[in-house]
Amino acid sequence: MAPAPATAPTPARRALAALLLGALCLALALAALPAAPAHATPAAADGGPSVRLSEKQAGKGGTLTVTGRGWRAKTLLTLLICGQNMIGGTNTCANGDGRAVTTDAHGAFHQRLPVAEPPKPCPCVVHVATVTGPADAADAAFTVAGHPVAPLPKESAGGRLTVLAAPRLAGSSGLLTWFGAPPQRELTLTVGNVGSAPARNPVFQIGTSHGVFAPEWQDQQWRGTLPAGKKTQVTLPVELAAGAHGDYLVSLRYGGKLLVEQPWGVGRPWGVTLFWVLLCVVIPTAVFRIGMAVVDRVRPRRPGPAARHRHGGTRKARGSVTRGDGESAALPWFTPDTAPSTTTSTERPPSKGSA
């Protein structure tokens, strides 16, 4: 008996086989992914810079290895062990025992850090921050064995804010600013709440300074709530005095701590200069024209041609000369009675002995 011919697979069977093969590949890929590190910072979940520690706890004199990823390439970083979760800034860190490292071309680094006791009690963190370029930072929890532990100080401001990205001044000057109107900009920056409490409607202080003068601070309230461990973008208005020009410095502080300083070069209001130049030209010209009009009105008038015809017709008086414009004027050294007559004979007398 001849064997039955094999039947070709139907489209439904081919689709089912492709689906099973795709599910198998996805399962293998998920199994190959590494597990999330136990000591990684929360920033790693957001795709930002992350820090991982080789040890959770170590005593003074020991060492631990700090590994980071997601940083900018070829960037200089500082590594510090800080107390009180670095609420008080770098004043709570063991600055003398810190280390510096430069990230590689992929934004990663691997550095050994000696364990030192910070000047403030724990809870402690390993703080990694950029030195050059836009500000960026990440923390990882760490315990210094044998170091005192104390509760964190209460945050009167309702959260601890720090700047996570370089600020920028947005906006441009208009036509009114060219004529002396107050220059205006918007200070935009990304802040993160690294404290343990949410920041509700935080009040920032913006100061502007020119030259060696101290900044003049103004309160600016940002409406909103920033939960602990989150970040957001804050935009605050900045305004200078009318007619301001030159190099200014915009400063921002929160809770008595200076956050950022941003330079601002303000152009000169040339419209005001042009106005004063025109004013200095127009006013003297107008005064001169008014003065000439007054002089022309008060000076005596000369007799016109009709008056001269009534007194002497077209004959010219004796002792007068004719001007180029047809008018006659008496000579100043002759009077009409003593002027020489134009009818006197000019013939020379005959010489003696002539016929």
Side-chain angles (χ1 to χ4, degrees), residues 125-227:
V125 295
V126 174
H127 178 72
V128 182
T130 57
V131 178
T132 58
D136 217 342
D139 297 336
F142 180 71
T143 301
V144 180
H147 192 63
V149 179
L152 294 175
K154 294 183 179 180
E155 300 174 355
S156 57
R160 183 166 63 94
L161 303 182
T162 185
V163 178
L164 302 180
R168 67 179 185 275
L169 285 172
S172 59
S173 300
L175 182 61
L176 295 180
T177 305
W178 201 67
F179 282 95
Q184 297 178 350
R185 293 289 188 276
E186 287 186 347
L187 181 64
T188 303
L189 67 160
T190 301
V191 298
N193 187 0
V194 296
S196 58
R200 296 182 177 88
N201 299 327
V203 178
F204 296 92
Q205 288 184 314
I206 294 183
T208 55
S209 59
H210 180 57
V212 297
F213 296 99
E216 299 178 359
W217 299 98
Q218 295 181 352
D219 292 341
Q220 295 283 353
Q221 187 175 23
W222 181 75
R223 298 290 182 178
T225 300
L226 183 59

Side-chain angles (χ1 to χ4, degrees), residues 59-140:
K60 180 181 178 180
T63 58
L64 72 152
T65 302
V66 183
T67 304
R69 297 183 182 278
W71 300 83
R72 294 190 308 274
K74 304 298 181 181
T75 302
L76 182 62
L77 308 176
T78 57
L79 289 73
L80 299 172
I81 297 179
C82 307
Q84 289 184 343
N85 283 349
M86 202 188 168
I87 291 180
T90 55
N91 293 331
T92 64
C93 304
N95 298 302
D97 297 291
R99 291 293 184 268
V101 64
T102 303
T103 59
D104 57 17
H106 303 285
F109 69 89
H110 188 81
Q111 177 68 29
R112 294 180 65 83
L113 179 66
V115 178
E117 293 185 350
K120 298 293 183 178
C122 286
C124 301
V125 295
V126 174
H127 178 72
V128 182
T130 57
V131 178
T132 58
D136 217 342
D139 297 336

Side-chain angles (χ1 to χ4, degrees), residues 44-60:
D46 299 335
S50 63
V51 175
R52 185 176 60 182
L53 307 178
S54 60
E55 303 290 341
K56 290 183 179 181
Q57 178 177 345
K60 180 181 178 180

Side-chain angles (χ1 to χ4, degrees), residues 227-322:
K230 300 296 182 179
K231 62 180 180 180
T232 187
Q233 191 176 71
V234 176
T235 301
L236 302 172
V238 183
E239 182 175 337
L240 300 179
H245 63 276
D247 295 329
Y248 282 80
L249 185 65
V250 180
S251 305
L252 179 70
R253 66 183 184 185
Y254 174 75
K257 178 183 177 182
L258 184 64
L259 297 182
V260 295
E261 289 182 342
Q262 182 71 14
W264 182 9
V266 184
R268 181 180 294 273
W270 292 107
V272 179
T273 305
L274 180 61
F275 170 78
W276 285 111
V277 170
L278 293 177
L279 195 64
C280 293
V281 172
V282 170
I283 289 183
T285 304
V287 171
F288 176 77
R289 294 180 65 88
I290 293 174
M292 292 302 296
V294 172
V295 170
D296 186 65
R297 182 174 291 274
V298 300
R299 69 180 179 180
R301 297 289 182 177
R302 295 181 179 179
R308 289 198 300 269
H309 283 299
R310 286 195 303 268
H311 290 288
T314 59
R315 292 188 303 171
K316 299 179 176 59
R318 293 181 178 181
S320 63
V321 295
T322 303

